[in-house]
Amino acid sequence: MSAIESVLVENRVFPPQEAAVKAARISGMAAYEALCRQAEQDFQGFWAQQARDNVVWTRPFSRTLDESNAPFYKWFDDGELNASANCLDKHVGTPVENETAIVFEADDGTVTRVTYKELLARVGQFANALKAQGIRKGDRVIIYMPMTVEGVVAMQACARIGATHSVVFGGFSAKALNERIIDAGAVAVITANFQMRGGKELPLKAIVDDAIAMGGCTTLRTVLVYMRTPTACNMAAGRDKTFDEVLKGQSAECTPVSVGAEHPLFILYTSGSTGKPKGVQHSTGGYLLWAKLTMDWTFDIQPKDVFWCTADIGWITGHTYVAYGPLAAGATQVIFEGIPTWPDAGRFWQMIQKHKVTVFYTAPTAIRSLIKAAETDAKVHPRNWDLSSLRILGSVGEPINPEAWMWYHKNVGGERCPIVDTFWQTETGGHVITPLPGATPTVPGSCTLPLPGIMAAIVDETGKDLPNGAGGMLVIKRPWPSMIRTIWGDPERFKKSYFPEEMGGRTYLAGDGAVRSSDRGYFRITGRIDDVLNVSGHRLGTMEIESALVSKTDLVAEAAVVGRPDDLTGEAVCAFVVLKRPRPVGEEAKKIANELRNWVAKEIGPIAKPKDIRFGDNLPKTRSGKIMRRLLRSIAKGEAITQDTSTLENPAILEQLAEKN
Ligand code: 6R9
């Protein structure tokens, strides 16, 4: 049964428990519907009110939404604020200031607590250190850091002085880092000597050195290095400085710089359908509003909560729901340095018990791998730990299959916790379609309904609305405060990628397929409709991987990359490769396949390594020379080819590619 068919027959419904409904901010469906109506009847008035209630402005805004240069929408644009002040200074003089902001658990289990007051002082001191390095408002700073308190401090410190950060996930390669430094025109890189993951010390600074050595980083002046471990690393005189050196003598007080609401808070690179990653640019005002508001709406965060989002700060989830949202909401959050499977696959459950986590937010790929581990080793099954502190569970990053949803509900949530399956993207800044824990009855595998003010719909290629039950493209018809503002340095690509002319140029095209259920109108995401793969919740462009493969010019003549479903990682990368030498078989094929995997890891990062590599004398092409990817997708899945192959130049190639090596 396909995913689309199963949503139509999925009839398990889990209404939130009565006590949860009573206690929640948005209490019951009628309250949710009332907010939706308000937003529809007075769109600008609704958002203006939210922005006044949830954001501290140093200068109030008078204009809510400026659509005059659509799709380059502006929100609250004559208002001024500082994002870091909205996360830290705001709590000074309130009971929150002495509460724990961050419970940090290191890879080896060591726990450190940081109060809001202490965090403010650390951010202030680091912000002063950045200023002393000559970093100013509007400068771009790359952050290539492990999951640490220091990573969050670095982001907040940039925000405090109005510098635009661009965090690069610690698993990306030197080449990927080099491209991002150049594209962003970064003046500084903030990094660590090493990162600790699963008991291993992995280099970060050495990768920064390699990235800079590749050349072209003409704007870069400074590299700041956090010594995570005592192991020394190379330090280039004049360019590289340790945190200790630059922090010495700096005051903990740093006045936050007021910036316009549209000032770019950060750029975050993500994969698109061409080879070049897109620098998604976010605003300060609208983004911050969303981070705060969705903490309240989706997680219904309360003073006694202990929030834990397991995402790395290198991804958008780690921006909105680690570095900004929980702090803006004044919550206590857990930050974890390590990996879910070390020292064993009970780590998450043990940590939930130890820190009495109440709201837990993770990805389906983690859930699936922990299910598998619990099935093979009863000792790591969640039933071995006391998870009774939990009250809300969240899921993000990819569609969650109903079996994994049910397991999460039963074994982690004790059949009592609502699961918020939050659909969103790097580009949306925060949740856009999600259940509300005290209102929405949940259905396994469905992200249910849009947040108030999010005008989501499912349309055909021309932008025409489709009825419930019909699969189509997911769009958002009106702008929202935390939406992507542009692609850094490439406004044309921004327009072309997200606001297609055929739909009128103002409708946001998400790039996902979706279908609404016939009974409730609930959304279910069926996966990307462009050339983007989702492997373990990580976005990868097929073109990016193809470019990486063909850049191995001594070996590869041509390559095509497609995805296929995978039980554990959601999707897996399959590459079809034509070599510049005769098609290899047996041991030689294995050897070359491994060489190519390592090459891709070096070019992009280990997450992009193709799981399957198949060699052919050629690729299936039409007579006009187009690679027929839909045939490759069938082959990758192991399906028999039933599609029309009459336009194919070389039909015999299909049989050869179907052979596994
Ligand atoms: C937040 C994040 C975005 C893509 C998105 C979609 C998939 C995310 C999902 C989901 C189904 C969910 N996705 N959440 N699919 N249900 N709850 O993951 O951002 O890395 O940009 O990925 O992830 O395909 O388009 P990002």
Side-chain angles (χ1 to χ4, degrees), residues 118-176:
E118 290 160 352
L119 189 62
L120 172 61
R122 282 172 71 168
V123 169
Q125 193 185 14
F126 198 76
N128 281 328
L130 293 178
K131 283 205 289 193
Q133 297 306 310
I135 299 168
R136 297 279 176 269
K137 177 179 167 185
D139 285 344
R140 273 84 57 207
V141 174
I142 296 276
I143 298 178
Y144 189 63
M145 290 279 278
M147 281 299 282
T148 43
V149 177
E150 285 71 15
V152 174
V153 167
M155 292 166 79
Q156 285 281 339
C158 286
R160 199 163 185 87
I161 63 170
T164 300
H165 59 67
S166 185
V167 185
V168 177
F169 175 58
F172 275 117
S173 67
K175 174 90 183 303

Side-chain angles (χ1 to χ4, degrees), residues 1-32:
M1 191 165 46
S2 76
I4 298 188
E5 282 160 19
S6 69
V7 71
L8 300 175
V9 300
E10 177 63 74
N11 49 19
R12 289 169 292 196
V13 180
F14 300 86
Q17 295 194 342
E18 216 173 295
V21 174
K22 271 213 185 102
R25 267 191 196 80
I26 301 182
S27 170
M29 279 309 268
Y32 160 73

Side-chain angles (χ1 to χ4, degrees), residues 270 316-317 395-400 421-427 447 510 512 525 527-528 534 537 539:
T270 190
I316 188 68
T317 309
S395 172
V396 59
E398 54 182 315
I400 178 164
D421 175 1
T422 60
F423 169 82
W424 59 294
Q425 309 173 297
T426 304
E427 294 86 345
C447 53
D512 279 290
I525 308 300
R528 300 287 307 191
N534 193 325
R539 266 169 76 165

